[in-house]
Amino acid sequence: MVAKDDDTIGFYTGNAAAYTSRGQAADRPHLETFLARLHEGASILELGCGGGQDSEFMLAAGYDVHPTDGTPEIAKAAQARLGIPVRTLLFEDMDERERYDGVWANACLLHVPRPALPGIIGRIHIALKRGGVFYASFKAGEAEGRDMFGRYYNYPSKPWLEDVYGQFGWATVEIEARQGSGYDQLPTAWLHVTATKL
C-alpha cells in the first residue's frame, strides 16, 4: 500500500525554502504534554519534522531526538538548523522494532492516503518500546480531499480514527479536538491523538 501522494511531495519539494523559513514556532502546548509522559533523555523519533522547530525544542529539553522528513530538501534545511543528521524517511520505509520511547508526528500523517494509514500506524506501534507514547495531529473532516495547494489530506473524523487506532495494542488512545490553523492560515478543526503502547 503506497503511503505517499506524489502531488503532496511535489508541493513540499517545490516550496521547501518558503516552508522551512517561515519562522514557525514549536507546538509547545502539545510538546510539553507529550514530553511529560516520557522519562528524562528518552529516545524520540520525529516524523515529518519540517523546518525542525519541534525537534529543536525537544533537543533543548535534553531528549535523544531522531528527526526525519519525507522530502530531501526539507530534511536538508532542518539539518542545517539543528546541526544533527536529519534522515529522509518515507512513512512506509519505517522498519525499526521497539527502538523509541516516543514518536512525534505533528501535522504529517494527515497526508497519508486513508487505505495506507493503518499500516503506517502499525509500523509506528512496532517501532515503539513497551509503554511508548505516540502523538499525531490531523485536520478533521469526513472525507479525504485536497487543499488549495493540491496537497492530499485524509481529513478523518474522531470515530474513524478510533477505528484505525483500535486495530493495534494501545493501552490508551486519547483524541482531543481543537481549533487552529495551518500553512494556508485558514481556520481549521484539528484532532490531536496521543496513544500509549501496552
Side-chain angles (χ1 to χ4, degrees), residues 56-177:
E56 186 175 61
F57 182 92
M58 293 187 282
L59 286 163
Y63 291 89
D64 176 24
V65 185
H66 303 262
T68 69
D69 199 273
T71 305
E73 292 81 1
I74 289 182
K76 184 177 178 182
Q79 182 166 302
R81 174 178 185 163
L82 298 170
I84 63 170
V86 176
R87 274 193 300 158
T88 299
L89 178 71
L90 296 173
F91 305 134
E92 64 261 40
D93 293 334
M94 280 186 292
D95 61 358
E96 293 156 312
R97 181 173 292 273
E98 296 186 2
R99 179 174 176 190
Y100 301 104
D101 301 298
V103 173
W104 176 260
N106 188 25
C108 61
L109 298 182
L110 40 65
H111 293 311
V112 175
R114 282 189 173 215
L117 188 60
I120 299 306
I121 290 176
R123 286 177 179 271
I124 291 167
H125 186 270
I126 291 168
L128 279 169
K129 297 175 184 177
R130 292 181 64 183
V133 181
F134 165 40
Y135 168 86
S137 56
F138 300 85
K139 290 187 177 184
E142 297 294 335
E144 59 192 342
R146 295 188 183 273
D147 69 359
M148 66 174 72
F149 303 112
R151 297 179 295 178
Y152 169 90
Y153 284 89
N154 44 39
Y155 292 125
S157 64
K158 184 177 178 180
W160 190 86
L161 278 178
E162 287 171 341
D163 287 344
V164 171
Y165 275 75
Q167 298 174 37
F168 305 96
W170 304 104
T172 60
V173 177
E174 304 160 44
I175 303 179
E176 175 194 23

